[in-house]
Amino acid sequence: MNIVAARVIVCSPGRNFVTLKIETSDGLTGVGDATLNGRELAVAAYLDEHVVPLLIGRDPARIEDTWQYLYKGAYWRRGPVTMTAIAAVDTALWDIKGKVAGLPVYQLLGGRSRSGVSVYGHANGATIDELLSSVASFVSRGYTAVRVQAAIPDISEIYGVSTATVYEPASAALPTEAVWSTPHYLAHLPAVFERVRAEFGPTLRLLHDAHHRLTPIEAARLGKALEPYALTWLEDPVPAELQDGYRLIRQHTTTPLAVGEVFNSIWDCERLIRSQLIDYVRATVVHAGGITHLRRIFDLAALHQVRTGSHGATDLSPVCMSAALHLDLAIPNFGLQEYMPHAPETDEVFPHGYRYADGYLHPSEEPGLGVDIDEALAAKYPYRPASLPVNRLTDGTLHDW
Ligand code: GCO
Ligand code: MG
């Protein structure tokens, strides 16, 4: 069996997605997500120009060899564009291997380690009362873990707080600009968690995403201030490339730390994991080199008592979510999976078999990943330029978003 075709499909059913579909001489197909939010066309061009020609004629069964060929063969290593492109190929090949075997991919990864994949939802609110009712609505739908993002007085727009039914920060063609103030944020957030904890009791798992905006000492102060509210994790407290920052934060607080949504290889987190500077690694299939490479990261993490908490925002397509769920089900050190439901038009373009029930996602039992792309429908949603926003401090200095 050979690969006879590979198509890169760019579409925008509610938001932009890039998808790779590989076809074999036996008439099987496999899909891989290649979406890199705000930089979609760079990955599409990388695949079209540099990867697809290498795939034609290859044996789709050779997943590891293809991964090594694309990684080592490029000479230039790592980087989000390259690793997202490799991830798309890798994911599509696992999908095909599952279809050949007649098994869901999690069976090829060693089988079930748990009965379902525990997920967290995103609660937010313009006021604390709105936030409390948002948390309550997740609890009423069976969620046992909720990420809490609060509006901050005197900051007009803030990451993670929105009234839209489907959260989408990359909405304008060119980046919008928001204003950020760390002092206002640090002064307000502990009181928010005090209210949430008091209202929902000690066992609801609470999380918070600082979205790379703090310095290590600011993050240490926040972690300490939040200790009474026993967070499951504080996410991305400092910019992800600043690894020594985690050591400093760790010296000051027992609030667990999670990082990794912008990581694209094991080399981004090898030190963080080996030194046990983090508690959860949040890399995911699409941005970290596919199932093959992410499994390697998660196995390293397992050796060091670091659990997983894969990124699962709406800019990762249902193809990535399907792949993530198969891996989540199989690995020994699974922690939590982020879950934000997609827009209805996204779900229609990507028919999938995973389902949510009582706080858990369950992957499809179909052979392969159990997800596809409806290409005719996708063609009705052409690409629209969309960028993520930027942040400036109150004096105009550019800051992490
Ligand atoms: C999260 C993330 C996202 C990112 C988005 C960028 O924890 O879900 O921080 O909301 O901002 O995926 O494309
Ligand atoms: Mg995040």
Side-chain angles (χ1 to χ4, degrees):
M1 185 164 54
N2 292 325
I3 295 175
V4 292
R7 283 188 299 288
V8 180
I9 304 145
V10 181
C11 62
S12 193
R15 70 161 347 276
N16 292 320
F17 293 108
V18 181
T19 310
L20 179 71
K21 189 159 190 169
I22 294 180
E23 266 180 46
T24 73
S25 51
D26 285 13
L28 294 175
T29 59
V31 285
D33 185 15
T35 309
L36 184 61
N37 199 2
R39 295 293 184 269
E40 294 87 357
L41 300 186
V43 186
Y46 189 103
L47 283 167
D48 266 329
E49 304 294 330
H50 305 293
V51 174
V52 167
L54 306 177
L55 297 178
I56 309 303
R58 290 184 76 85
D59 177 357
R62 297 182 64 180
I63 299 179
E64 181 68 42
D65 183 68
T66 302
W67 197 97
Q68 299 295 336
Y69 189 85
L70 295 175
Y71 184 80
K72 295 182 176 157
Y75 183 66
W76 310 107
R77 306 263 169 126
R78 305 157 63 187
V81 174
T82 300
M83 297 303 281
T84 300
I86 294 177
V89 175
D90 184 80
T91 308
L93 295 184
W94 276 104
D95 192 19
I96 290 170
K97 194 177 280 297
K99 289 176 183 173
V100 170
L103 292 170
V105 166
Y106 75 80
Q107 294 289 12
L108 308 181
L109 298 170
R112 230 174 237 287
S113 285
R114 55 196 50 78
S115 54
V117 173
S118 188
V119 296
Y120 69 92
H122 285 205
N124 67 81
T127 62
I128 295 189
D129 287 338
E130 262 180 50
L131 174 63
L132 294 176
S133 52
S134 172
V135 176
S137 87
F138 282 98
V139 173
S140 71
R141 283 174 280 150
Y143 283 78
T144 59
V146 182
R147 191 186 86 157
V148 170
Q149 302 296 128
I152 306 295
D154 298 322
I155 299 185
S156 59
E157 278 168 51
I158 177 167
Y159 165 81
V161 179
S162 153
T163 51
T165 44
V166 178
Y167 178 62
E168 182 45 73
S171 46
L174 294 176
T176 54
E177 297 203 354
V179 175
W180 175 250
S181 162
T182 300
H184 283 81
Y185 170 73
L186 293 179
H188 185 67
L189 199 66
V192 171
F193 274 90
E194 187 180 6
R195 287 280 308 274
V196 175
R197 199 40 103 199
E199 181 90 11
F200 295 96
T203 56
L204 181 65
R205 289 176 290 176
L206 300 177
L207 298 76
H208 178 72
D209 190 348
H211 223 256
H212 325 271
R213 294 196 179 129
L214 304 175
T215 65
I217 204 71
E218 289 164 350
R221 177 180 147 199
L222 179 63
K224 257 176 124 163
L226 295 176
E227 274 172 26
Y229 317 115
L231 267 62
T232 292
W233 77 50
L234 172 62
E235 174 175 333
D236 290 338
V238 290
E241 61 270 41
L242 186 56
Q243 311 232 321
D244 277 336
Y246 283 87
R247 197 179 299 282
L248 192 147
I249 302 168
R250 242 338 183 220
Q251 283 160 358
H252 293 280
T253 181
T254 58
T255 293
L257 303 173
V259 62
E261 67 185 41
V262 304
F263 290 169
N264 52 71
S265 97
I266 199 165
W267 303 109
D268 292 324
C269 46
E270 181 256 355
R271 187 149 49 104
L272 291 176
I273 291 172
R274 270 198 306 114
S275 305
Q276 295 188 306
L277 296 179
I278 57 173
D279 301 281
Y280 294 88
V281 59
R282 300 193 60 257
T284 194
V285 173
V286 57
H287 299 138
I291 292 174
T292 298
H293 191 67
L294 192 61
R295 175 82 203 230
R296 222 147 261 163
I297 295 175
F298 288 172
D299 283 345
L300 176 71
L303 294 179
H304 297 88
Q305 294 181 306
V306 173
R307 283 181 285 175
T308 71
S310 284
H311 188 200
T314 43
D315 48 296
L316 283 51
S317 89
V319 176
C320 176
M321 181 56 83
S322 300
L325 293 175
H326 286 276
L327 195 50
D328 290 340
L329 202 66
I331 53 172
N333 55 328
F334 169 76
L336 260 179
Q337 169 67 52
E338 183 180 25
Y339 175 46
M340 295 173 88
H342 286 104
E345 55 270 45
T346 302
D347 286 336
E348 280 169 33
V349 166
F350 296 96
H352 54 264
Y354 60 79
R355 61 189 175 83
Y356 172 84
D358 300 327
Y360 294 92
L361 276 173
H362 301 277
S364 162
E365 290 294 333
E366 280 169 53
L369 294 174
V371 62
D372 205 348
I373 179 165
D374 178 335
E375 291 181 66
L377 191 57
K380 296 191 177 151
Y381 296 99
Y383 170 78
R384 305 174 279 128
S387 301
L388 287 166
V390 296
N391 252 344
R392 288 188 186 279
L393 301 180
T394 41
D395 71 354
T397 305
L398 198 85
H399 194 67
D400 299 278
W401 172 64

